[in-house]
Amino acid sequence: MLIKLWNWEKNWVCQQVFEGHTHYVMEVKVNPKDNNTFASASLDKTVKVWQLGSAQPNFTLEGHEKGVNCVDYYMGGDKPYLISGADDRMVKIWDYQNKTCVQTLEGHAQNIASVSFHPELPIILTGSEDGTVKIWHANTYRLETTLNYGLERVWSIGVLRGSNNVALGYDEGAILIKLGREEPAMSMDAGGKIIWAKHSELQQASLKALEKEEIQDGERLPLAVKDMGSCEVYPQTVQHNPNGRFVVVCGDGEYIIYTAMALRNKSFGSAQEFVWAADSSEYAVRESSSSIKLFKNFKERKSFKPEFGAENIFGGALLGVKSVSGLAFYDWETQELVRRIEIQPRAVYWSETGELCCIVTDESYFVLKYQPDAVAAAAENPEKITEDGIEDAFDVLGEVSETVKTGLWVGDCFIYTNSVNRLNYYVGGEIVTVSHLDRTMYLLGYIPQDNRLYLGDKELNVVSFQLLLSVLEYQTAVMRRDFDTADRVLPTVPKEQRTRVAHFLEKQGFKKQALAVSSDAEHKFDLAIQLGDLENAYNLAKESASEQKWKQLAELATSQAKFELAQQCLHEAQDHGGLLLLATAAGNADMVTKLGIQADQAGKHNVSFLSYFLLGDLERCLEILLASNRVPEAAFFARTYLPSEISRVVELWRVQLGKVNEKAGQSLADPKDYANLFPDYAASLQAQQMLAGERTKVIPAEDWKDIMANYERKPLEELNALADEEDLIDEPLDDKDHPIAGAVEEELEGGEPSKPEEEKVLEDELDELDIIGSLGEPSTPEEEKLLDDELDELDIIGEPSKHEEVVTGITTEDLEAELEMDLDNLKLDDIDTTDVNLDDEELLED
């Protein structure tokens, strides 16, 4: 029943007690416009207003039938209002100056627990034990919506000045919601005059008085603000027409058109939405979800109902209507359908010329080019018009997966802010970031004379960023392929902006021009590489002395068969691997030798090892492994290639391994001490000597096809075969390099004839045959048979003795074939032996 005032600056001393209520006091609120007065709500069914310093109330407001639970003050300066909620399920608005009840709000089914005037929006919020929060219009007291989140009874509503957020407290928890539009109601004309709405008041500011040279990017502008007056509706949007002479204010389901200079009412009406056409004298309003009205010179000209309804409308060169079927564009004059696109847009922006259009959705935006010629041609040929309009009316220039907050066109450049607070612009498929914003900002416009872009935030602060008109003009000219204009504008582009222009040219495919324009050495080098311009790339690489650039240039030079330049670049980059590839591909042994030395000195052991290995310098390879402390690898390398070095390396390995595990170190076997563990060790030493001679020979590259690959070779088998060949070196050979006499038997039998008797029989039979002499055809069948019998008796291959084995595998047919080859392919069956005397010794001498 008492209200006490406590002073926390004086250690929470009770400074005053207010008496007057006859029941519990439920809530106290201080007047935001006069901090010396406050109001209290009590279960005694009254609201009392008090003055600090007085123990008695100034006055009492009576009207509720049950106890009052909550009270709040209206924060605006135009109405001296109080609001109260009670257990009688009523909400009452009071004029505390006249001490009268202005309005009673009914609708809740249970006690009212909390009420609030929103500090920024023209709404009243009421919460009840029925679990609902109702939102009422503060001017018309119309119920706008009811919120029910299923969290049982509502007990509190919290609002914050400067924010549209609202906090709601329930039995089962709390929830934070956002109401209204975040985007401020403000607009700027082409001359730099800004009009914005602050609650119901309209204010004006001008950019002309600012010192443009002192403006810093992103800093708040010190604008002189002038009050224009109060608006009859609560402004939700403010928008200038294209020529800036008029401004429209929309809110509360109505629109009012004012003159921009003096805020004189020019026209008004009911509208859910309002849009201007490209022609400043035309505009359209959406009265409902099915009806659209068109006006010209403030007079209604046409009313039509789109086929699929109208959820939203968009102004510009064409009238855009959003419906469940997508976005439909209509001609302003004829209201004929131009094109229907299956898309659900959030905004549509047109360029000043009406050639370009940007359609913004929730997740991306599309840049289209309007084709008025195709539309005009289709008008003359109705067959080209389908139920979705004219198919060729628009060309898609680009799609970007980015959420646009606000946007506008400057020339052919689409400037926008996105959901992550970046200020970008799109031109020709390229996105350029102008700035990263520290908060959500909304585009107002661009003033070419200032070369600056202006933005505002929800607190009605205005900032600007430099955006050079010359850069935009140049990019626009390039997009239109107007290169004469582009060349004329280029000298006006500052040097620090040239690289940005060069990136744009590169994006459009004009890399040669980009190379000439760019002032960034890194960018120029990349362009030179892409263009294959070795001279420019070489000069830029020389200036930067970057290893990466030298490597890139070496790759380019190699691709163009400029091997000397490639070698120089690889040397500059210290790319030993690349040099090795180049040297081996060219077969340049001297270069490989030098590379091995350089890589060794530079500590590039892999490259130096491979270089010496390719050169056959196995001893140096072994030393590299040892020097790089790769002793185990050195041991296996020696076992494979240099068995004579195994003992030395094993000893080093024992010492190294013994430091870790002495027993493991001692377990390493040396072939000198454990010959039984290395069965082929002696033969491998001989193979090493055999192969050492090969390594000293230089083999021409053209012989590579005839040389067996190393991995296919078996040195130990080669060594055995070589030993067998050396046994045959002293044998007599005929003029066709065939062993004669006993050599034939040795080759066939793998050695000397096993018995002297067999050798003697063989010689006698050869003497009897004596077929080397005069040759001719057998004259009679009897002679031919005689020859066959004699050959059968000779049986040149012979039967091996019982104690010997034929190791060559040569058959009688093989020997006869070889003999025929020696006789210039003469068939033995065709020999005429009629006049041959087998006892003639002169035949043997021949």
Side-chain angles (χ1 to χ4, degrees), residues 35-61:
N35 292 337
N36 289 320
T37 62
F38 65 91
S40 61
S42 172
L43 293 184
D44 62 8
K45 308 178 187 177
T46 66
V47 174
K48 294 182 182 295
V49 177
W50 309 76
Q51 183 82 26
L52 293 181
S54 173
Q56 302 300 318
N58 291 350
F59 55 88
T60 300
L61 301 175

Side-chain angles (χ1 to χ4, degrees), residues 9 117 148 162 178 210 251 269 335 388 421 605 681 746 844:
E9 293 181 349
F117 279 110
N148 189 342
K178 180 181 290 187
L210 295 175
Q335 292 83 52
D388 289 331
N421 294 334
H605 299 301
Y681 179 65
E746 179 182 349
L844 294 175

Side-chain angles (χ1 to χ4, degrees), residues 134-248:
K134 293 185 180 292
I135 300 176
W136 316 76
H137 197 288
N139 296 328
T140 63
Y141 307 115
R142 181 179 67 244
L143 177 63
E144 299 289 344
T145 187
T146 299
L147 306 176
N148 189 342
Y149 295 102
L151 297 176
E152 298 299 332
R153 295 174 295 181
V154 181
W155 291 112
S156 62
I157 297 173
V159 295
L160 181 64
R161 183 178 286 276
S163 171
N164 287 358
N165 294 342
V166 175
L168 307 174
Y170 293 83
D171 277 333
E172 301 294 334
I175 191 169
L176 183 68
I177 62 174
K178 180 181 290 187
L179 300 175
R181 284 165 49 99
E182 280 291 312
E183 187 174 349
M186 58 194 311
S187 177
M188 184 179 81
D189 66 11
K193 290 182 180 178
I194 304 173
I195 294 177
W196 64 65
K198 191 171 185 180
H199 304 297
S200 295
E201 304 292 325
L202 292 180
Q203 297 178 328
Q204 185 184 66
S206 178
L207 302 173
K208 290 183 178 180
L210 295 175
E211 294 291 337
K212 304 300 188 297
E213 294 78 11
E214 298 178 1
I215 297 177
Q216 299 294 321
D217 285 359
E219 289 190 1
R220 179 185 175 185
L221 301 180
L223 299 176
V225 180
K226 183 178 72 172
D227 289 329
M228 299 184 72
S230 181
C231 186
E232 288 88 341
V233 298
Y234 186 88
Q236 292 177 308
T237 62
V238 176
Q239 185 182 3
H240 281 89
N241 73 337
N243 63 21
R245 291 180 57 194
F246 299 99
V247 61
V248 63

Side-chain angles (χ1 to χ4, degrees), residues 268-312:
F268 63 92
S270 61
Q272 299 296 320
E273 279 185 285
F274 180 105
V275 293
W276 293 103
D279 183 347
S280 297
S281 63
E282 290 187 83
Y283 58 90
V285 298
R286 180 176 69 88
E287 287 191 326
S288 66
S289 60
S290 61
S291 175
I292 297 175
K293 287 185 178 180
L294 305 181
F295 293 81
K296 187 175 180 68
N297 295 324
F298 310 109
K299 294 180 180 179
E300 182 178 342
R301 193 185 65 185
K302 183 77 173 179
S303 176
F304 78 104
K305 295 184 177 182
E307 182 179 357
F308 296 97
E311 296 178 5
N312 297 104

Side-chain angles (χ1 to χ4, degrees), residues 734-785:
D734 63 9
D735 58 350
K736 293 187 179 293
D737 294 335
H738 290 292
I740 59 177
V744 174
E745 186 67 9
E746 179 182 349
E747 181 176 350
L748 296 178
E749 300 296 326
E752 294 292 328
S754 60
K755 293 182 180 180
E757 293 80 9
E758 292 179 356
E759 181 180 2
K760 181 70 171 59
V761 171
L762 180 61
E763 290 178 352
D764 292 342
E765 289 178 338
L766 287 171
D767 290 340
E768 289 176 4
L769 179 60
D770 196 12
I771 61 174
I772 308 299
S774 302
L775 301 175
E777 293 288 336
S779 59
T780 64
E782 292 77 9
E783 292 175 338
E784 182 176 349
K785 186 175 186 308

Side-chain angles (χ1 to χ4, degrees), residues 88-103:
D88 58 6
R89 306 173 187 176
M90 302 291 183
V91 175
K92 291 185 178 291
I93 289 89
W94 307 87
D95 184 330
Y96 56 77
Q97 287 185 349
N98 297 331
K99 304 176 184 61
T100 58
C101 179
V102 175
Q103 185 73 28

Side-chain angles (χ1 to χ4, degrees), residues 43 264 271 401 409 413 468 523 550 567 642 662 716 821:
L43 293 184
R264 287 197 297 268
S401 296
W409 286 91
C413 303
L468 296 177
H523 187 219
W550 284 119
Q567 182 177 343
L642 297 171
E662 184 176 355
L716 295 181
M821 290 178 64

